[in-house]
Amino acid sequence: MPRRLAADLVVPDRLHLAESPLWDDRAGVLRWVDILSGHVHGWDPRTGERTFFAAGLPVGAVLLRAAGGLLLAVADGFAVLDGGRLTRIADLDPAGGLLRMNDAVCDPQGRVFAGTMAYSHEPGGGSLYRLDADHSVHTVLPAVTISNGLDWSPDGATAYYADSPTRELRAYRYQDGRLLDPEPFAAFTDGVPDGVAVDAEGGVWVAVAFAGEIHRYLPDGTLDLVVDVPATMTTSCAFGGPDLDTLYITTATENLSPADLAAQPTAGGIFACVPGVRGRAAGRFAG
């Protein structure tokens, strides 16, 4: 049987769709987004100080940049946020406003992988894209429904990715910015795989949306640990803190009924636990 831990509420927000937790090691700040409102949040766990930016359009993810500032995967492309100014660097709107970004992450070489999904959740309506340092955009996987959960093994040879409605996390051979030879890694019957983080030991952490859990899998796919979260819409997770030993968890109120909301007063907040393993520093976009 897997071990079990409980997560505690650390930021008592009531957000609609908090996602993309990210530890900014230079600033010592946890960052995340509330996707449909287009809000980018920051929180310093030492002081409790908060930062806030309203992008004016949906934001699927926030990422770090090697040159400073942040990269945002916005509704229909990519934009740099620096000094409070938002500058578009790549446009991507093949469906004429029917799609939005849902999740994004930097690979070990500083390239960004970002996935789209249809607002209607149309099967196969989105794609997974790669943004290179020269700001060119390339299709990596077409016909994706809800793109989620990409991270790499410590050696960079394996990428873990989920198209959430498949209820499966897959392991891909990673080569030259491509996802190759997919194999099943973990299957989910209660809930669906959402955000993913890989720790320094190669353990794969998966937010299981609709289940209120975070799962840790060993590199061989064995379920090792379950983190219980008192909010069923667990959306993503990331390691942070000065020693990268705290697991931060985002949650949402989306898809919750009035009865669910009453029963889950902390839903939409940010949770944390200290699981006894360390994470890895987030990659930075090279462009």
Side-chain angles (χ1 to χ4, degrees):
M1 293 291 291
R3 299 172 291 147
R4 299 195 82 97
L5 295 176
D8 298 316
L9 182 70
V10 292
V11 180
D13 280 352
R14 193 70 158 163
L15 301 179
H16 177 256
L17 186 52
E19 264 277 14
S20 181
L22 175 76
W23 180 254
D24 187 337
D25 55 344
R26 293 180 184 173
V29 168
L30 181 73
R31 304 190 187 278
W32 67 91
V33 302
D34 191 7
I35 292 180
L36 296 180
S37 68
H39 295 163
V40 183
H41 295 263
W43 172 65
D44 186 332
R46 301 164 299 176
T47 65
E49 182 180 356
R50 298 286 302 270
T51 60
F52 174 84
F53 177 78
L57 72 174
V59 179
V62 55
L63 304 105
L64 306 176
R65 287 181 73 228
L70 304 172
L71 180 74
L72 305 183
V74 295
D76 53 357
F78 298 92
V80 170
L81 174 60
D82 197 4
R85 297 181 60 183
L86 196 64
T87 304
R88 297 293 289 265
I89 63 169
D91 292 322
L92 180 66
D93 190 17
L98 301 180
L99 303 179
R100 68 166 175 84
M101 291 290 193
N102 189 58
D103 202 357
V105 66
C106 282
D107 79 350
Q109 289 75 41
R111 296 169 289 208
V112 170
F113 284 71
T116 57
M117 60 174 286
Y119 284 101
S120 65
H121 292 198
E122 176 188 355
S127 298
L128 178 67
Y129 297 96
R130 188 186 76 239
L131 174 70
D132 289 350
D134 63 0
H135 299 176
S136 61
V137 180
H138 311 269
T139 300
V140 178
L141 295 175
V144 171
T145 301
I146 302 180
S147 183
N148 262 316
L150 184 61
D151 203 358
W152 285 263
S153 59
D155 64 3
T158 301
Y160 301 96
Y161 176 75
D163 184 1
S164 290
T166 67
R167 294 182 177 266
E168 182 178 78
L169 183 69
R170 294 178 179 177
Y172 291 77
R173 182 168 60 87
Y174 189 62
Q175 183 178 10
D176 299 326
R178 296 175 295 159
L179 303 185
L180 306 170
D181 306 326
E183 295 184 356
F185 181 77
F188 302 83
T189 56
D190 182 14
V192 300
D194 204 317
V196 169
V198 178
D199 62 38
E201 299 176 2
V204 182
W205 300 76
V206 187
V208 188
F210 299 95
E213 294 179 345
I214 306 292
H215 292 182
R216 180 187 192 252
Y217 294 89
L218 300 177
D220 65 2
T222 301
L223 179 60
D224 173 62
L225 185 148
V226 175
V227 180
D228 294 305
V229 183
T232 53
M233 291 304 299
T234 42
T235 58
S236 194
C237 57
F239 281 89
D243 297 321
L244 295 175
D245 60 352
T246 300
L247 184 74
Y248 289 104
I249 301 162
T250 50
T251 67
T253 56
E254 185 181 53
N255 297 315
L256 297 184
S257 68
D260 293 331
L261 292 170
Q264 300 176 39
T266 56
I270 310 300
F271 295 80
C273 68
V274 180
V277 296
R278 294 186 179 186
R280 300 173 298 154
R284 291 179 177 270
F285 176 48

